[in-house]
Amino acid sequence: MTNLLSARRETRPVGQSRSARPLLLRLHFYAGILIGPFLLVAALTGLLYVFTPQLERAVYEHELFVTPTGSPQSLEEQIAAAKLALPEATLVRVRPGATETDSTQMIFSRADLAPSHWLTAYVDPYTAQVRGTLETYGSSQATPVRTWIDELHRGLHLGDVGRLYSELAASWLWLVVLGGLVLWWQRQRGRRRRMVLVDRRIRGRRGLLSWHAVLGTWIALVLLFLSVTGLTWSQYGGESITELRKALSWQTPTLSTSLSEHSAHGAHQQHSGHTGPDAGPDRVLAAARQSGLDGPVEITLPSGAGKAYLVKQIKGSWPQKQDAAAVDPASARVVETLRFQDFPLGAKLARWGIDGHMGVLFGLPNQILLAVVCLVLIAMILWGYRMWWHRRPTRDRFALGRPFPRGGWRALHPVALAAMVLGGGVLAWQLPVFGVSLLGFLAVDLLLAFRRSRRSPAPGGR
């Protein structure tokens, strides 16, 4: 029994009794090396995306902006002009200009367009002349240049297969960040200054480590935020997040446009099922304004008989305005409203998270922060590969940097090891791309171990 206990102690990494550090070192090493390229692409394309609002305004200035000349024409006159320009399309939504220099956006659907793609006519509100038409994307009305950059960032223009790259990056980013923080804080225990300030006196690999870890500490919270919000858009992990929100009743509420539902609630009796004359978008907009919907809004036209107009605020910057109102098309009467302040906390966090990730929540400061974080992340990845290069055997010019010793799991307390295995299994189930890539890491590690054991001479052999 004494010999058995002694053997178990010997298999534990020296100086790391009951510590997770050896395992974290090896996991951080593999994750950094293998996930690094995906994070690098995400950071580069994210940096390109950050300033797309300014790029849009420069490229599509003629469509987006007008010169005020007198009083604006009615929305009905502007709609008529847009329908003449796009006779083969169906008008779905209208976005009146948010300022006196903004054009009115008339959003059309057409059978040949891809899902979530629209044809948008930009109308001068003062002359009711169409200044141009563009194919736009999504609820944010992204112009072609922003759509191209967005698809590059999300999936490298490779469709569903390409989206796996961004999900892989988002799935591992939080783990790489948290693991790096733990390793750095353990290394600098008792030296708080070195945790947050780069030591410029040291050079070589240790100097690179100081830059890599300190700057990583400063941007850690933003990286965790980007990882979580990025997963909400992901193909597989996003489904798990949606199910979680549903289970917690954190879904974003919607306002029904069915007049019969509002009639059933006692909100409106005489006009449910209306098929007669339409009060028109101008009166509908005026009614929504009177109910408190100020700022930029979007008007969704009734989709058929018995349907109401839906007017909703679309201001994404802080403080956000996301209220909505259903308006009866016959009487231009507001039959129901939905206030952003009444959203469940999870829905509010999702809204803030999406807009913060896109760089619109706090305007230019938000953009600058994301740009700095992207640049620092790029530098950290490059420093990480440089440190890997420093770990290579100097006697072999073609050798790669050595990973940290395997077997770190033996240093964990059995309870901690069981919790880690259980937690990893749950994460792998909820985040399938993370789970499959983790299995890939283990397969690579076992393959390298097998290859090394085959190369090692047998005991007593020559």
Side-chain angles (χ1 to χ4, degrees), residues 89 175 239 301 343 396 412:
L175 188 60
E239 294 180 2
L301 276 61
F343 280 26
D396 186 352
L412 290 175

Side-chain angles (χ1 to χ4, degrees), residues 242-319:
T242 299
E243 291 299 321
L244 176 63
R245 289 181 59 190
K246 187 184 298 184
L248 296 174
S249 298
W250 278 8
Q251 294 171 286
T252 299
T254 57
L255 188 59
S256 173
T257 59
S258 173
L259 289 172
S260 60
E261 288 188 21
H262 299 305
S263 176
H265 293 148
H268 190 60
Q269 297 288 338
Q270 65 271 32
H271 293 296
S272 61
H274 161 75
T275 58
D278 193 313
D282 293 283
R283 289 181 59 192
V284 166
L285 178 59
R289 294 295 192 197
Q290 290 177 359
S291 70
L293 271 68
D294 58 352
V297 297
E298 179 180 85
I299 306 168
T300 301
L301 276 61
S303 57
K307 298 293 184 179
Y309 279 90
L310 179 64
V311 185
K312 61 180 180 180
Q313 294 174 312
I314 54 174
K315 182 175 180 290
S317 57
W318 189 271

